[in-house]
Amino acid sequence: MQRPPPEDFLLKETNPHLGGGKVSGDKHTSTYDLVEQMQYLYVRVVKAKELPAKDVTGSCDPYVEVKLGNYKGTTRHFEKKTNPEWNQVFAFSRDRIQSSVLDVFVKDKDLVKDDFIGRVWFDMNEIPKRVPPDSPLAPQWYRLEDKKGDKVRGELMLAVWMGTQADEAFPEAWNSDAAGVSGTDGLANIRSKVYLSPKLWYLRVNVIEAQDLQPGNQGRFPEVFVKAVLGNQALRTRISPSRTINPMWNEDLMFVAAEPFEEPLVLSVEDRVAPNKDEVLGKCAILLQHVDRRLDHRPVNSKWFHLEKHFIVDGDQKKKESKFSSRIHMRICLEGGYHVLDESTHYSSDLRPTAKQLWKTSIGVLELGILNAQGLMPMKTKDGHGTTDSYCVAKYGQKWVRTRTIIDSFTPKWNEQYTWEVYDPCTVITIGVFDNCHLHGGDKAVAAKDLRIGKVRIRLSTLETDRVYTHSYPLLVLLPNGMKKMGEIHLAVRFTCSSLLNMMHMYSHPLLPKMHYIYPLTVTQLDSLRHQATQIVSMRLSRAEPPLRKEVVEYMLDVGSHMWSMRRSKANFFRIMGVLSGLIAVGKWFDQICNWKNPITTVLIHILFIILVMYPELILPTIFLYLFLIGVWYYRWRPRHPPHMDTRLSHADNAHPDELDEEFDTFPTSRPSDIVRMRYDRLRSIAWRIQTVVGDLATQGERLQSLLSWRDPRATALFVIFCLVAAIVLYVTPFQVVALLTGFYMLRHPRFRHKLPSVLLNFFRRLPARTDCML
């Protein structure tokens, strides 16, 4: 029996004061009803006119400074302009307001000392409130005053109001929380943003044959193979068994391609003339924009492509064409019927095929409120003291969201809300917390990496519909010196179902698109393609502005989680033991029955055994009725909280230092001996596969356990209802008929079998396992 994890590592239910009302039907009373309202003072500086000139040229270099207590924000300055237009918004958190007066200064930029032109001031008690969906407050002209309060020449157009983070001006406003950030790049790196993953395709290249090759040495049989390169991906066929100038392969090569297609597919036919020397017999480049796309398993037309010794691709034109050339016969297509896996299959957030034509309608909406964090650890040192500049990233489907960065705070408050469409309830949303190391620009910031603080995963199928979950999740990170809690993150989650019938029907569908079952890819192919997909996604998102950096994307996508770990192997072993513990308990109970440990129970079992032998038609109804009663009985103890990282399950809290040293060791190993390195790496490679198989076995057993655990309330409800119906049907149906029908169905002819998995198998694969709780 495993000990429970420490109290500090447990999930904590909270009761925050959220900003909106409850759900009414399928309408929400507020866009920001899953977060706490944050009050802000907004100042919109629009423009100025007729500013007085401060030099002999008759012009000035004006800018505006907005000051509230110790906080001040400045606009950009214009050179030689008396009628400037800024149209900038400043937001000051009401919690940090330390003054009863808001000052807006207009100044003239100077190399030595900026000159004062005029000011406008506001009494904080007189500032109006504005609540969306009210229209924006109209700006007004204000006469400038000098330091004594007398009117001077020049006017400034302003709008000042009190609002919340729901205001449409908030995302792009200068925030008082960012008062210590300098530079345009620094400000861009702290704002909240939404990113979209690139649309990924599987590219299938079926290399059939080549004709009329011209090897350099005519006196030998050529050993020809085809090499294909797409961006950073390079694959090659085997050497053709027909060693002639017309070789044949009929071999598939699979790549991952991302829209927009930026690089061509380059194929080269090469001859192995020596062990370490290959001679290029011809090349060709194919633009992916012109490649056929298919949505199902229907074959595409094959084409012949000319091979050139030298070519330059310029748009669609190939230069230096010859009258006679070698040719290669291929069948190339972009597969739209597959889902391109870019994350671990255990934590997939999207299972739709690439082609939009194959998408089904959404079944609901997922809403996430990122409230705050507590007790964050200092991640870096600034001005002699530890500090943390934290932000959150949430990933579900193709949509990534990034909150604004809260500067120098161990208790940041974000209070940002985001929404996703849900197409499958058996998916996982991932939320990560990071420390921003790119606030002040420069070469050091470019080379720096954002530090990981922790991660949370929530499986949607474990959530009840239309219920708001508010919990504080521990942020746990495994380090070379052991498990460490980096703080807690406070989240509000709601999964709203648009059609309960459609969602229940999803449990009978295959988990992945049809093509994964009709033309399945091998495990090796899937591993390689997933690695390429994660590299493409991280590269594309790192090119956004501001970038979502590679280290962030890889941490969210669990890159490297398949590497060998003694700790994970032990955890998977004990997961299996936990699954088998139920069978062991039944065996011990039966042994007690046989040994008459409890005579009354043994007599009752004898009576039940005689009844079932005399009336065998009662066996199956009794079993299903018993399962139905167990399911109803366990409903009282159904889980009321979403799952979270379990340190005991992961064996992370008591891992041996040598095991952690092995887990955080480089691959290949950094051990000094070459022999030890070779054996060690081989052991890790083999053990990784064993670890995966053991984990999969544990997953299947845990899915059986989840049938009656109400971890997925919809799946358990379906199973309990099925048990009741099955008990009634089997009670009124003769046992012999049931046995015959079952036997005939199991032994049916292949003509009557379907390539897709059965409804029962689809339902079973959708059941939640404890993989979500693995660290």
Side-chain angles (χ1 to χ4, degrees):
M1 193 73 180
Q2 287 190 357
R3 295 173 296 161
E7 187 72 23
D8 205 31
F9 291 168
L10 291 178
L11 193 69
K12 301 173 185 175
E13 189 168 10
T14 59
N15 188 24
H17 182 68
L18 301 183
K22 296 182 179 179
V23 177
S24 176
D26 60 350
K27 302 288 185 182
H28 300 154
T29 58
S30 170
T31 308
Y32 284 77
D33 63 338
L34 289 185
V35 293
E36 296 177 320
Q37 281 194 353
M38 300 176 69
Q39 299 291 327
Y40 283 91
L41 168 65
Y42 289 95
V43 181
R44 181 184 293 277
V45 181
V46 184
K47 56 185 176 180
K49 66 179 180 180
E50 300 177 358
L51 296 179
K54 292 296 182 179
D55 56 18
V56 294
T57 62
S59 62
C60 61
D61 303 333
Y63 71 94
V64 175
E65 179 182 286
V66 182
K67 185 176 181 181
L68 182 63
N70 294 328
Y71 295 98
K72 65 179 180 179
T74 58
T75 66
R76 61 190 181 279
H77 79 278
F78 290 95
E79 294 185 2
K80 313 300 181 185
K81 198 168 186 179
T82 57
N83 297 305
E85 293 189 15
W86 295 282
N87 199 27
Q88 287 183 242
V89 181
F90 299 85
F92 297 87
S93 175
R94 187 171 184 176
D95 296 338
R96 299 187 180 185
I97 291 178
Q98 302 170 345
S99 174
S100 59
V101 176
L102 170 68
D103 288 304
V104 182
F105 299 101
V106 181
K107 296 185 177 182
D108 183 18
K109 190 74 172 177
D110 191 79
L111 294 176
V112 181
K113 183 179 180 181
D114 297 345
D115 295 326
F116 174 84
I117 297 177
R119 77 163 188 162
V120 178
W121 65 276
F122 298 88
D123 187 343
M124 292 295 296
N125 296 321
E126 302 298 328
I127 294 177
K129 293 185 178 180
R130 184 220 165 204
V131 180
D134 291 350
S135 299
L137 192 67
Q140 301 179 38
W141 286 107
Y142 293 88
R143 285 287 301 272
L144 296 179
E145 299 178 357
D146 59 15
K147 296 180 180 179
K148 297 179 180 179
D150 298 328
K151 300 295 182 183
V152 297
R153 182 186 171 190
E155 293 183 72
L156 183 64
M157 181 179 279
L158 295 172
V160 182
W161 71 96
M162 294 295 299
T164 67
Q165 77 270 34
D167 200 295
E168 63 269 12
F170 181 74
E172 297 300 326
W174 176 92
N175 199 302
S176 57
D177 294 336
V181 179
S182 60
T184 305
D185 293 340
L187 289 174
N189 274 315
I190 68 171
R191 288 177 174 155
S192 56
K193 294 292 179 184
V194 175
Y195 304 83
L196 292 177
S197 294
K199 187 176 182 180
L200 301 177
W201 295 77
Y202 282 146
L203 175 66
R204 187 187 296 270
V205 181
N206 178 229
V207 184
I208 303 173
E209 59 180 330
Q211 283 187 354
D212 303 326
L213 298 180
Q214 301 174 12
N217 185 358
Q218 302 290 341
R220 55 180 287 276
F221 294 111
E223 300 180 14
V224 184
F225 62 91
V226 177
K227 181 179 178 181
V229 178
L230 178 63
N232 296 326
Q233 308 170 67
L235 296 175
R236 48 169 288 179
T237 66
R238 67 187 188 282
I239 294 177
S240 173
S242 54
R243 301 191 175 185
T244 65
I245 60 172
N246 299 316
M248 297 188 68
W249 295 277
N250 196 24
E251 189 172 339
D252 277 353
L253 303 177
M254 295 289 290
F255 298 89
V256 178
E259 289 188 8
F261 303 119
E262 298 177 344
E263 296 166 323
L265 173 68
V266 179
L267 295 112
S268 60
V269 180
E270 303 183 13
D271 181 16
R272 176 64 53 82
V273 295
N276 295 316
K277 184 179 180 182
D278 300 324
E279 178 188 359
V280 178
L281 304 182
K283 287 186 176 184
C284 71
I286 301 167
L287 299 178
L288 300 188
Q289 292 88 334
H290 304 150
V291 171
D292 294 335
R293 306 183 183 192
R294 71 172 182 178
L295 309 182
D296 50 26
H297 58 282
R298 297 174 187 172
V300 296
N301 296 326
S302 59
K303 295 180 181 179
W304 288 94
F305 297 89
H306 291 284
L307 295 172
E308 301 297 333
K309 288 263 185 174
H310 306 282
F311 67 90
I312 303 174
V313 177
D314 184 13
D316 296 340
Q317 303 296 323
K318 290 183 181 179
K319 300 180 180 179
K320 202 170 183 180
E321 295 276 1
S322 61
K323 295 182 179 179
F324 176 82
S325 65
S326 305
R327 300 190 303 169
I328 184 170
H329 190 198
M330 293 185 296
R331 187 178 287 111
I332 304 177
C333 68
L334 289 164
E335 298 280 12
Y338 289 91
H339 169 69
V340 181
L341 294 167
D342 61 343
E343 49 196 344
S344 174
T345 52
H346 295 304
Y347 316 125
S348 290
S349 62
D350 188 13
L351 300 169
R352 292 171 293 171
T354 299
K356 283 189 175 181
Q357 300 93 313
L358 301 178
W359 290 5
K360 293 180 170 53
T361 57
S362 64
I363 61 168
V365 173
L366 171 66
E367 296 167 281
L368 173 68
I370 303 176
L371 303 178
N372 54 62
Q374 299 289 333
L376 296 185
M377 303 295 291
M379 302 300 294
K380 55 180 179 283
T381 302
K382 184 171 67 174
D383 298 331
H385 69 278
T387 183
T388 299
D389 307 315
S390 57
Y391 66 93
C392 289
V393 174
K395 195 265 184 191
Y396 184 79
Q398 293 182 329
K399 179 179 174 182
W400 299 66
V401 299
R402 169 180 173 164
T403 68
R404 68 190 188 282
T405 300
I406 306 298
I407 307 299
D408 193 14
S409 176
F410 299 132
T411 57
K413 293 182 179 181
W414 294 286
N415 284 303
E416 298 184 24
Q417 184 170 337
Y418 299 95
T419 304
W420 290 266
E421 282 191 317
V422 177
Y423 293 87
D424 195 311
C426 302
T427 45
V428 176
I429 182 173
T430 304
I431 303 101
V433 185
F434 301 89
D435 176 55
N436 197 332
C437 297
H438 300 83
L439 299 181
H440 302 287
D443 295 336
K444 288 185 178 181
V446 172
K449 290 186 177 182
D450 288 351
L451 304 175
R452 59 185 69 170
I453 298 177
K455 182 166 56 179
V456 174
R457 289 188 291 254
I458 302 174
R459 183 172 291 272
L460 271 59
S461 63
T462 62
L463 305 177
E464 297 178 9
T465 53
D466 298 329
R467 175 186 167 187
V468 178
Y469 289 83
T470 53
H471 291 87
S472 183
Y473 294 80
L475 295 171
L476 306 175
V477 173
L478 190 65
L479 301 173
N481 57 355
M483 169 63 62
K484 188 173 184 180
K485 181 180 177 180
M486 308 297 288
E488 296 181 357
I489 182 171
H490 192 188
L491 302 176
V493 184
R494 176 171 55 203
F495 175 33
T496 306
C497 171
S498 57
S499 173
L500 182 61
L501 186 62
N502 287 343
M503 186 164 62
M504 291 296 192
H505 186 53
M506 285 296 298
Y507 282 88
S508 66
H509 287 188
L511 198 63
L512 293 168
K514 291 182 180 179
M515 285 291 289
H516 285 269
Y517 305 102
I518 297 175
Y519 280 104
L521 302 174
T522 65
V523 175
T524 304
Q525 277 182 314
L526 286 174
D527 287 339
S528 174
L529 292 172
R530 176 177 175 258
H531 173 72
Q532 295 300 335
T534 55
Q535 295 303 310
I536 291 174
V537 170
S538 63
M539 180 186 68
R540 289 290 180 92
L541 293 180
S542 65
R543 288 164 50 186
E545 187 58 42
L548 195 61
R549 303 187 181 277
K550 182 178 180 181
E551 62 270 17
V552 174
V553 176
E554 290 185 347
Y555 182 57
M556 296 291 288
L557 295 179
D558 285 308
V559 173
S561 61
H562 64 280
M563 299 299 288
W564 159 254
S565 164
M566 178 66 77
R567 176 187 61 82
R568 284 198 190 97
S569 296
K570 286 168 60 178
N572 286 332
F573 172 77
F574 284 105
R575 285 171 63 199
I576 289 183
M577 294 303 296
V579 171
L580 297 178
S581 63
L583 296 177
I584 296 172
V586 171
K588 291 181 178 178
W589 173 81
F590 186 71
D591 184 65
Q592 291 177 354
I593 296 296
C594 295
N595 289 290
W596 289 76
K597 297 288 185 181
N598 190 333
I600 297 177
T601 305
T602 304
V603 171
L604 292 175
I605 292 298
H606 276 77
I607 296 173
L608 178 62
F609 176 71
I610 294 171
I611 292 173
L612 293 179
V613 169
M614 297 298 294
Y615 302 98
E617 63 273 12
L618 295 178
I619 295 176
L620 290 178
T622 302
I623 292 174
F624 281 108
L625 186 60
Y626 182 63
L627 293 175
F628 167 76
L629 293 174
I630 291 177
V632 173
W633 180 257
Y634 281 171
Y635 181 77
R636 297 169 21 173
W637 298 285
R638 67 191 184 279
R640 302 296 292 172
H641 309 305
H644 65 289
M645 304 291 187
D646 192 330
T647 56
R648 288 275 188 253
L649 180 70
S650 306
H651 282 252
D653 57 339
N654 57 358
H656 193 273
D658 184 63
E659 295 176 2
L660 293 175
D661 176 69
E662 181 184 37
E663 184 169 346
F664 284 93
D665 189 17
T666 57
F667 191 86
T669 178
S670 56
R671 297 295 184 270
S673 173
D674 293 338
I675 297 177
V676 172
R677 182 182 296 114
M678 182 271 294
R679 293 177 179 175
Y680 184 58
D681 293 342
R682 182 176 60 187
L683 174 64
R684 294 171 75 184
S685 177
I686 296 172
W688 160 60
R689 300 187 182 277
I690 297 174
Q691 165 187 311
T692 303
V693 172
V694 172
D696 290 340
L697 290 175
T699 298
Q700 307 311 320
E702 288 168 353
R703 284 173 176 163
L704 279 175
Q705 286 184 328
S706 68
L707 280 172
L708 296 172
S709 68
W710 294 94
R711 168 50 66 195
D712 182 345
R714 287 161 292 275
T716 303
L718 285 174
F719 181 72
V720 168
I721 293 171
F722 169 77
C723 290
L724 178 60
V725 173
I728 296 172
V729 171
L730 293 173
Y731 181 80
V732 300
T733 306
F735 178 77
Q736 292 83 352
V737 175
V738 175
L740 282 174
L741 291 177
T742 303
F744 287 153
Y745 177 78
M746 298 297 294
L747 299 173
R748 68 192 185 280
H749 193 273
R751 181 181 300 175
F752 302 106
R753 297 180 185 271
H754 203 276
K755 288 188 176 181
L756 295 180
S758 65
V759 172
L760 293 178
L761 189 57
N762 292 332
F763 178 84
F764 180 77
R765 285 176 175 172
R766 290 179 172 277
L767 293 171
R770 302 193 71 190
T771 49
D772 307 331
C773 305
M774 288 288 291
L775 190 66

